[in-house]
Amino acid sequence: MNVRTALIRAAGWTGLGLLSFLVCGFWYVGAAWVSGMLPSAGKSAQVPPGKPPAYLCEAAFHTDIALPLDGEIANWRKDFRGYLPDYLPRDTYLLFGWGDSVFFTKVLYPEDLTLPRGLSALAGMNPVAMRIVPVYGSDVRDVCKPLPGGQDTKRVLIDEIRASLKRNAEGAYVQIDTAVPGELLLAARGRYSPFNTCNQWTARVLGRAGLPRATFAPFAWSVTHPLNLSAAARPDE
């Protein structure tokens, strides 16, 4: 085989690989769009938020569930004593987000997302973690959206978060080192993949709490759009 033939074949395989990638990407995004447009209704969607509410916080590529630090159902201050500072004010919320530990610790800016890091996460090669971030309640109320469903929904959200956290033989949470100031990273259950992303975890937890959700929710808008559709359908909003 001469060099010219080898180059032609290599170009052909490269083109075929690129085409396959584009086709898979098209179906991936398409499946997410259809799932987001046809979400579950959510039996708790018509119930007003609890007091204080749980919130859903959306970033560009990620969603978090926000719960009060000193709640009447869960006292996270007590649960995380020794993991979080004792001086946090009472009007503090904790943001809970499940995901790949390397994304949480190494990818702080878009330029940090290298090909090896992205591929290792999508292949499920890294430990997963629950990222917990204390924030002022005023910031949560300004930026995030209250979740409907009342106290029952909030109780399920709390139970699902606790069930997602790993513990060691002594029953303590397993902390993961992070250089990000103010964040707590705890080892979590599960495995990250293109079909089990951080947003898929959030959507699944919301669904178990009786809230509208897309079956396939790899993107942040996949989580928020079903809730927005449900809110638009309510006559009082």
Side-chain angles (χ1 to χ4, degrees):
M1 182 186 297
N2 58 37
V3 175
R4 179 183 176 83
T5 302
L7 289 175
I8 291 173
R9 288 191 176 183
W13 282 111
T14 301
L16 184 60
L18 179 59
L19 179 62
S20 300
F21 177 79
L22 293 175
V23 169
C24 290
F26 173 81
W27 284 109
Y28 187 85
V29 175
W33 184 85
V34 171
S35 183
M37 296 302 294
L38 300 171
S40 65
K43 62 182 181 180
S44 302
Q46 306 304 318
V47 180
K51 295 183 180 181
Y55 289 86
L56 181 70
C57 304
E58 178 187 13
F61 303 103
H62 181 76
T63 48
D64 288 302
I65 295 170
L67 293 163
L69 174 66
D70 297 302
E72 73 293 344
I73 297 174
N75 188 329
W76 298 110
R77 190 188 299 271
K78 180 179 179 181
D79 279 26
F80 296 141
R81 184 160 292 146
Y83 298 92
L84 290 174
D86 292 331
Y87 56 78
L88 292 173
R90 288 194 59 83
D91 186 25
T92 295
Y93 268 73
L94 298 182
L95 305 186
F96 292 90
W98 179 97
D100 179 84
S101 59
V102 170
F103 280 171
F104 286 148
T105 57
K106 304 295 184 183
V107 184
L108 306 183
Y109 304 99
E111 57 268 24
D112 296 333
L113 183 56
T114 62
L115 184 61
R117 287 171 180 170
L119 291 178
S120 66
L122 294 176
M125 297 172 61
N126 307 322
V128 295
M130 186 74 70
R131 183 179 64 178
I132 303 167
V133 185
V135 294
Y136 290 118
S138 57
D139 292 338
V140 169
R141 289 185 287 272
D142 286 343
V143 175
C144 307
K145 294 184 178 181
L147 288 169
Q151 299 298 87
D152 289 341
T153 286
K154 193 160 58 172
R155 186 173 287 106
V156 175
L157 297 177
I158 291 166
D159 290 344
E160 290 294 326
I161 289 170
R162 284 175 168 163
S164 295
L165 292 169
K166 282 186 177 180
R167 293 176 182 264
N168 60 21
E170 288 73 38
Y173 296 117
V174 180
Q175 191 165 357
I176 297 175
D177 291 336
T178 176
V180 183
E183 292 188 2
L184 170 65
L185 227 59
L186 299 179
R189 304 180 189 277
R191 183 177 179 181
Y192 193 93
S193 78
F195 302 99
N196 192 35
T197 65
C198 53
N199 297 305
Q200 185 70 42
W201 177 87
T202 304
R204 184 167 56 248
V205 169
L206 295 180
R208 290 175 178 171
L211 297 176
R213 63 156 293 193
T215 302
F216 181 49
F219 307 114
W221 55 262
S222 303
V223 180
T224 57
H225 189 65
L227 293 167
N228 294 338
L229 286 177
S230 176
R234 288 199 289 269
D236 57 332
E237 294 190 23

